[in-house]
Each structure stands twice: as structure tokens, then as C-alpha cells.
Amino acid sequence: MISTTVIPAELSPSLDTVSWSEDGQLLVLANNVVYILTPECGIFYDTESANGTSVKVEGENSDLDLKWFRTMVCLEKATPHLWGLDSEDVSTLVLGSLDNRFRSACWSPTGLSSEGYCFLVTLQTNLDIILWSAPKNHLRGAWEKIQDVTEVLKEHFRESSSPSGEGSSNVGTTLGTQPQSISWSKTPETLGPRNSLLAVGTRGGKVAFLQLDEGAKQLRLIHSLHVTNEWVTHLDWAPWTLAAEGANSSILACGTSDGSIHLVSLVVSPVVSASVLPNVCPAKPDGSGLTGMKWVVGQLQKSVLVHTKPGIIGLWPQELPLQVLRLQNQYTCAGSSALSSPSGIHYFPEQDVLLLILCDSSVHVVYQVSTAPTLTPSTDATRVIPSSLVLSQKMRNICDKVERLESGGNLDNSDLLVSSGFTVLDHFGFGLWAYEARRPQDFEYRAQSKHRSCLIGAMLWEQERYGDVLMEHFVSLLDTAKIDVWRPPVSVLRSALFHLRRAEIFNLVKDRLLGLLAEIQITTSDNLWLSPELAATETSRDRGTFEAKFRKNLMFSPSRYRAMLGFNIANACGRYHQNSDFQTMAARLMHEIIRDRCNGLLECVTAVLPQLSDADRDYARIVAAQAALQYGQTDLARKRALETMSQIATQPPQIVLRADEVSETNFAPTALGGIARLGEVCPACQGDIVLDDVAVAVEILTRAALTSAMLDYVAAGGGFGDENVFGVLSESDATPVAEDPYRAAK
């Protein structure tokens, strides 16, 4: 099965054209619009709005299709920056202002926006940098412009070059302000996503580092560094590693216009310090210019810097000599050329193999990346991943099938398939790439509105021992030591859930998978004890320690996150295949997640109890009641919850525990193991509020709030015949339970 999605726009080949976010959304960068696509894997609501077509291939599976939720970011129509007002020197001329388009884009780590999602940063040909934020409905909602980052760069460099704080129009300041490249780092291991950095390379050879201001939710420039006298055209971050005293370190690779690469060492603790590494140059200046650059994590967690120039690929493992390989032409059509620019680089760590896709849709496979890189495959290597020529022909054959479906004609030797971007859905051979068929030798002009690209998803090779490989993947995902708690579970499980939809694959692994999920238990010791003295401290170091523990208790612990992954797997299997065993397993895991989250929240509430206002104490009392009434709650945790309620309540709370436990087969996530009368009265109906079922309680409060709004409106002189009188509450507001507990926590 071949999945196809039409992109009605012109795409420019680059490594940034197609890229994944940590939220599991796919970016497709067109000239005048950025498409943001979300695969429907693991999403079980509003599925009718997902679109995409599929091409059936004889002899292949018919249920391996992929549909997408789609939204977009449009090019800003506002007046771009007028660089000529800053300097009239010819070196500061910006030709991109004549036809302003998107040039590149990058994702931030997840959890930074006000809704808990990723930020998107775009760089335009006019050298404008814009920060975008996702809405509540990140699947289909319109993204919002948050900040013009170029203004931040201008203000900083003008103040640094002028002691009086007035603007300066000299050439050096303007070149140092004009951005050429952007790259956002991953989340530092011990500091959280808000300590990640956006790096901006400029024409003046400077690199500026920006960080999110937690209060204003905007970027602020915290550090800048002069790296070279050339333009900084490419940037990419190496993975973070632990340094001394809990700090995190990384290396930023800076590619320049003369073809050289400089390395900048950064340490975040959380204060940022940066320095250029001397006498280390992965690529020397040769005047040819870089066409692409990317860090990959090889075997044994060794980082390898991959860069491309016309006709060659260079691989630089840290502390080892540079390996340069000359690309061979893959003759799939008359326009094939090994000198083409790259549109995708992807590394497969299990096989130690790297795929390089050029914009002529040719594939070049590099074997033994971590040890002795070579383009010549061995017999054993081609059993797992085919050779370069086989993959190149495979991609062209897939595109030929799609062209026959779309236009009714076949591709011939004159048709060049321009590949604009490439990535993968998983490590099992399912590739995603955007292409457009052209005939450059005809010198045919095509208006921008006539360009139509196609995003294709298809298996490039078949896996041997499919079930065993998939189970090894699940074991690795559920390994607590390797868990990244900052990524949403649906994003982590995207590829696994995609393959589990296939009935034949599910039947291969269901028994072993069910046994693996049964081993998942939440470790209660993950919830850290928070002292009230630490909560009341004024020193920044102690406050930072308290905030880190508070954040871990409230949202993230490795064992709870592991249970979230298991819940999403069991929930998907139960929904896709109507399997009662997996539905029961999903209910058990959801029950444990809610109970553990209540206990973690109780620890946080108890620690800050002396600092709470009277209004906040009502919320704390409800939190303690929910923790006390959870099914399967330990006696120690229930006793602690009752003690907290006694400290808050003006009168002793009435708690009645149920004698019978709810079975896992009919478990309702919102039901509690008892009834609590907290002495609260509904302000609208004057009824006693009973905490028994969270969903019912929310619905009662919603109806009461609506009743109160109606009475207030009538008292103010309104009539019931007016339209849209009670538009304050919607059906979505009355839905208290989220399907993904991670999103509920965020």
C-alpha cells in the first residue's frame, strides 16, 4: 500500500523541507506556506477530518494506509524589515526581499508553548525570523504568531555596538544582525525544555543564542559569540551530555559560506557559556560550499557529524579523522546527477547504516557509519537494507505508480523526479518523501499556482522476522533507563501504533505484547517528598530544587511515563482490533496512572499548604479527597490524604469508603472508591456537592453554572428569545476526561 497526500505548492529541496516535531507532527515547508501534518495513528477522535489517499499495489498489504490531520502557517503579509535603512552598503543587500518566501524552519522541544506543545520558528528569504505557537486544537487549528525574533537581534546588537544605546547603521552591526540559519537544540537531560536554546547564525559570522522567557513566553537573547568572518549558513546541535556538577554540554556545528565547519562548545547549568573549539575543523574551506549538515548518534552513543558538498559526503566521528566518500551517480533517468543537493539524511542505528537522498531522487547508502564508512555493501548488509541502486529504482517505481493514478501517464527517461524532502516514519523501512515530476530540459515555465507536489509514504524494504523486530522495539521503548519523559507518548509510539493496525502483525505479537504490558508497575518511590521549608525558601538554588521536584511529582516520573506508554499501546490494540484483553489492560494502567498522579499532586499540595490562600485551599481539599478515595490506595497514602484534609477543612470531612472494589473489566477512570461530602454548597442550586464520580461532578457544576448564567441574564433584563445568549459553555467544556493522560497532565 502506498499512501499519498497532495501538497498544492512548490517545494524547494533542503534538509528542512520535511521534518518531525517531538509532538509527532510533520512539517512540510513550501515557498509560501508551511503545512503541518499529524498522522492519525493513536488518535481516536475527529478521525473523519483526516485526509489522504492510498494506492493499492498487487501483492502488498491493503491495510497499510496513512491519513493526516492538516493545518498550515501562511507567509506574513506585513511589511518586512527594510535592511536598506540600517546600512546602504552593497554587502548588506538582501535580494530575498524582492520575492519574500519561507527559507527554512525548525521545531522547538515539546512543552514550551502555553498549551504544552512545540514552538515553530521560520526564517524567510527577507531574513525575518518569526516564532509561531500551536493553538489548543493543534491538529487543525490556526497557528498564532508570537514574536518577531529579528527585532530582538537588532536591539541586542545595536545596544552592544553603541554605548549610548542608540541604533547604529554601520556595516558590521547590520551583517551581525542579518540571520542566515536557525537551529533549536533538544531538551537538556537534567534541566527541562525551557533551558533549550535557539541558535541563529548571521552574515557577520556571529551566532546568537536565545532562550524562552518563561513569564512572557517569548524569546530573549542571552549570549552571542563571534565564530568566523564568513556567513554562517548551516547550524546543527549535537545531543546533550552530562558535564560536571549537573551541567549539560553540547557541541554546535557551524557551517560557513566558504565550505568550512567550526565547532562551538556550550555548557548550560542553567547559565550558558560558549566557546569556539580551537584546532578542530571537520571540514576545511575549499570554496565549494556546504549543501547539508547533520549530527547523527551512531552506535555506542558516539555522535557523528555528516556534511555534504557537491558530489561528496563527509563523516566526522568525534576525536577521529574525517572520512570523505565520493558519491556515485545512480542512473534512474536522464537528469540524474551525483552533484545534486541533499533532500534528506537519516541514520538507522540498529544496522549502522545512513541513507542520503539527493534532490534527483537518488538514494546513496553508507554502511558501517560508526566504524569504517563505505558505499560498498557487503552481502550481509544488503539482506537488511538494499543497495543504493535498488533503493533508487524502488523509489522511482513507487512514484511511477502514483503518477499513473494522478495523471494517467507513465514516467519516461526524460522525467526528473525532484525530491524536496525525505524522512522516515519508523526504523522498519517506511519512508516519507515529497516529490514533483519535472522536465528541466524542456525549459518549460510553470506558474507557482500550477506546482503540485506529492507526499508519499511507502515501505522501501520488507523486514525479516517482523514480529521479533517489533517486539524488540517495544522492549526498548518500555525500558525505563531509556525513557525520555518530555515527549508525548503518542509521538514516541507513532511508528509502533501504525504497524499494530495491521491484523497479521498484531496476531504475531499480541500474546508476547500482553505479557510485556502485564509487567508494568508504577513505582511509588518515584514521587519525591517535598518539605514545606524548601517550598518557603527565598534562595534561588533551593527554589530551583523545589521546582524540579514539584515538576517531577506533578507530571513526570519514569515509571508513570512507562505506564502511559503501556496504556496507549493497550488502548490502541483494544480499539483497532476490539480485543477485550487489551481493553482490560488499558483500564488497569489508566487506574494506576490516575492514582499515582493523585499521590504526586498530594505531595505538592501538602508541601505548599502554608503558602496557599483561602481560595486555593478549596482546590487542595478536593485533591486530598480524590487521593483518599482512589481504588487500591495504600493505607499510608490514604492516611496522609486524610491528615491533609483535616488541616484544610473548617469542619471534619465525611468520607465513606466503598466495601467492594470495582473490577478492572468495568473500570471507569473517573469513578472513585468512596463518597466525600466536603461541606460545599452549589451557589446556583444550593445543593450539597458530593464527590463521588469526577465526570458526574463536573457535569453537575457545568449545569449549575449554566443555570446561574441564565438567572443572571434574566435579572439583567435579557430575554430567552435572544440568540447565542448562553454561548459561554460548549460541549467540549463539559468533557472532563482526556484520552491521553499525558495531555491531561500537561
Side-chain angles (χ1 to χ4, degrees), residues 613-725:
S613 63
D614 293 338
D616 294 332
R617 283 172 172 260
D618 292 336
Y619 170 73
R621 182 170 49 179
I622 296 176
V623 169
Q626 288 187 6
L629 297 177
Q630 288 295 322
Y631 283 108
Q633 186 66 281
T634 61
D635 293 337
L636 180 62
R638 182 170 285 129
K639 179 181 178 182
R640 185 172 179 81
L642 294 175
E643 290 176 352
T644 302
M645 292 183 65
S646 301
Q647 297 176 30
I648 302 171
T650 55
Q651 56 183 351
Q654 300 177 13
I655 298 247
V656 180
L657 298 178
R658 289 196 176 98
D660 56 329
E661 294 282 340
V662 174
S663 64
E664 294 178 346
T665 56
N666 60 359
F667 168 74
T670 60
L672 299 175
I675 299 175
R677 298 183 182 274
L678 305 179
E680 294 189 38
V681 177
C682 175
C685 61
Q686 300 301 313
D688 189 16
I689 298 179
V690 179
L691 187 61
D692 180 14
D693 189 304
V694 179
V696 176
V698 174
E699 290 170 6
I700 291 175
L701 290 176
T702 301
R703 292 197 296 271
L706 182 57
T707 303
S708 179
M710 293 170 62
L711 295 177
D712 291 343
Y713 183 77
V714 174
F720 285 102
D722 299 344
E723 294 184 359
N724 198 23
V725 174

Side-chain angles (χ1 to χ4, degrees), residues 194 214 486 528 530 534-535 537 539-554 604:
R194 66 179 178 178
E214 189 68 17
W486 299 107
L528 305 176
L530 303 175
L534 193 63
T537 185
T539 63
S540 58
R541 180 175 180 179
D542 290 343
R543 293 291 294 178
T545 303
F546 176 80
E547 289 177 4
K549 292 183 176 180
F550 189 98
R551 189 184 304 114
K552 182 176 181 180
N553 277 8
L554 189 61
C604 300

Side-chain angles (χ1 to χ4, degrees), residues 163-244:
S164 61
E166 299 178 357
S168 175
S169 59
N170 60 72
V171 178
T173 302
T174 305
L175 290 174
T177 307
Q178 293 178 329
Q180 285 290 116
S181 54
I182 54 176
S183 180
W184 205 315
S185 72
K186 300 296 184 183
T187 298
E189 291 189 18
T190 60
L191 298 177
R194 66 179 178 178
N195 289 285
S196 60
L197 299 172
L198 172 66
V200 179
T202 68
R203 287 184 170 186
K206 297 180 179 180
V207 177
F209 300 97
L210 298 98
Q211 200 171 66
L212 186 68
D213 189 337
E214 189 68 17
K217 285 294 182 182
Q218 291 191 339
L219 293 170
R220 57 186 177 89
L221 199 149
I222 60 172
H223 193 74
S224 62
L225 183 69
H226 186 272
V227 178
T228 178
N229 293 325
E230 305 293 332
W231 290 10
V232 181
T233 58
H234 295 77
L235 292 172
D236 200 55
W237 292 86
W240 292 97
T241 57
L242 293 178

Side-chain angles (χ1 to χ4, degrees), residues 335-380:
S336 298
S337 173
L339 302 178
S340 304
S341 60
S343 60
I345 294 176
H346 190 80
Y347 175 72
F348 295 87
E350 292 83 1
Q351 296 82 20
D352 198 23
V353 167
L354 182 135
L355 294 188
L356 170 65
I357 291 84
L358 302 184
C359 65
D360 65 343
S361 294
S362 63
V363 183
H364 302 264
V365 184
V366 182
Y367 303 90
Q368 304 172 16
V369 173
S370 302
T371 54
T374 177
L375 292 171
T376 305
S378 63
T379 306
D380 295 336

Side-chain angles (χ1 to χ4, degrees), residues 43-91:
I43 300 175
F44 303 104
Y45 59 92
D46 196 24
T47 54
E48 62 276 1
S49 62
N51 54 52
T53 59
S54 56
V55 181
K56 292 185 178 181
V57 180
E58 185 178 355
E60 295 189 6
N61 297 289
S62 59
D63 56 350
L64 194 62
D65 59 339
L66 185 62
K67 293 187 178 181
W68 306 86
F69 298 94
R70 179 184 298 194
T71 184
M72 63 181 64
V73 173
C74 296
L75 190 69
E76 265 298 301
K77 298 299 182 183
T79 304
H81 288 280
L82 303 176
W83 295 101
L85 300 179
D86 297 334
S87 175
E88 297 181 356
D89 191 86
V90 66
S91 61

